[in-house]
Amino acid sequence: MISKMHQLLDILETNPDVYALFRHCPYELLRKIRVRKFTDGEFELEQGEIYQYMYIIVDGRANVYSESENGKKYFLCCSQSGDLIGDMALQPHIRCDREQGGRYAILPGDPQRVDRVAEFLENVEFIAFNREHKTMRGTYKGIPVLVTSTGMGGASTGIAVEELARIGVECMIRIGSCGALQPEMQMGDLVILNGAVRDEGTSKSYVDSIFPAVPDPDVLFALRGAAIKEGFAYHVGIGRSHDSFYVDNERDVDHFWSKKGVLAGDMESAALFTIGSLRGIKTGSILNTVALYDGKLEDEINQYVSGENRVTQGEKNEIITALEAIASLEEQRKG
């Protein structure tokens, strides 16, 4: 047991997350640190329960699961030496813990869009900004809402989804931008995805590409209902998630998927849907059209970034739609 205490002290000194947590810890608490050995199947913490202790794994492994409302368990991760288990466990990339989590999260890609969502919330509180992941929380019609930016692409989106799930988020709605793949679509139109072509790498690293990338139906219907209620121009259909704007045959690829009826292209929705399904998380995606089919992508995105024309209003519309969908989902949950 003495050797295990030495291992623990080594973790306290070399693991930056653990060190940051304990460096200002009062001596009275440090004196209570103990090393305890568990046999297989003995150690178990229940989701939703409050415990008096936080655990640091010195040696061995612990599987972490999430339990849905219908009682089904979904594997989240395998914690190993140096990992924290308990409500104080700080997620390494989003830099949030379970105390800061909640049932609902909105996921913009752009960190700057987090600030624009804040304009529609009350009781806004900034939480963290690490790499591409900026997080704040607030309330909408009294409902706690977390807002975390994912950055661009499926890989960073996957990290955000996994870590948000670990702090208790049960429903995640992406608010992003997209390029139209159908000629009738206009700048600022909303696209509510009912599925996504998995033409990217992140989701394929989780499961074979024959596994469908689809949103939760309750979230999908709530988004559509909110768009109708608000009178916003919207389309419902399939999107294509991809990894680059600049492949040599990009225009040919767009034409191919356009002929198959795909509405729009983005980079994150397929990863969100796939990981959400595997982890038991309710997901949805609503996109703002910022580039027209066969338009000049660079000019149109530059206009979007500078806040020009209809896409600025489209962004506001997608934020309102996502928040109203959350209000509807919460009303349904409470019955």
Side-chain angles (χ1 to χ4, degrees), residues 195-200 203 213 238-242 257 262 266 269-270:
V197 177
R198 294 173 53 197
D199 203 6
E200 39 68 60
S203 70
I238 299 170
R240 168 188 169 246
S241 293
H242 55 95
W257 289 111
V262 173
D266 82 337
S269 294

Side-chain angles (χ1 to χ4, degrees), residues 74-265:
Y74 297 87
F75 176 77
L76 288 181
C77 66
C78 179
S79 296
Q80 303 183 54
S81 177
D83 290 339
L84 303 174
I85 298 180
D87 288 349
M88 293 180 66
L90 188 70
Q91 298 305 307
H93 298 93
I94 63 172
R95 311 303 294 173
C96 303
D97 58 34
R98 184 171 285 271
E99 183 178 329
Q100 297 160 329
R103 187 180 302 274
Y104 302 101
I106 290 179
L107 309 182
D110 184 357
Q112 295 185 36
R113 201 175 301 139
V114 173
D115 299 327
R116 296 196 280 273
V117 177
E119 298 173 9
F120 296 85
L121 301 178
E122 297 179 338
N123 308 309
V124 174
E125 176 188 358
F126 172 79
I127 297 176
F129 194 174
N130 182 52
R131 295 178 179 259
E132 59 267 75
H133 303 300
K134 185 175 186 178
T135 299
M136 63 88 175
R137 63 181 175 183
T139 58
Y140 184 75
K141 295 184 175 180
I143 305 166
V145 177
L146 201 66
V147 185
T148 297
S149 59
T150 63
M152 294 180 67
S156 60
T157 298
I159 289 171
V161 171
E162 291 279 18
E163 295 189 3
L164 287 168
R166 294 181 189 183
I167 65 170
V169 176
E170 301 174 9
C171 177
M172 305 180 197
I173 299 177
R174 164 167 159 72
I175 56 167
S177 57
C178 68
L181 292 179
Q182 298 300 324
E184 68 274 12
M185 295 173 61
Q186 301 299 313
M187 299 287 264
D189 283 4
L190 302 182
V191 180
I192 301 170
L193 297 186
N194 61 14
V197 177
R198 294 173 53 197
D199 203 6
E200 39 68 60
T202 300
S203 70
K204 294 175 185 175
S205 69
Y206 279 81
V207 65
D208 192 275
S209 57
I210 62 174
F211 187 90
V214 292
D216 177 84
D218 291 339
V219 179
L220 170 64
F221 296 147
L223 287 169
R224 181 176 181 270
I228 293 173
K229 173 187 171 185
E230 298 295 329
F232 298 147
Y234 76 96
H235 311 264
V236 177
I238 299 170
R240 168 188 169 246
S241 293
H242 55 95
D243 284 332
S244 177
F245 293 122
Y246 301 111
V247 296
D248 293 339
N249 62 336
E250 185 67 35
R251 190 169 293 274
D252 293 336
V253 173
D254 286 346
H255 289 169
F256 173 84
W257 289 111
S258 176
K259 291 177 182 177
K260 300 296 184 289
V262 173
L263 290 185

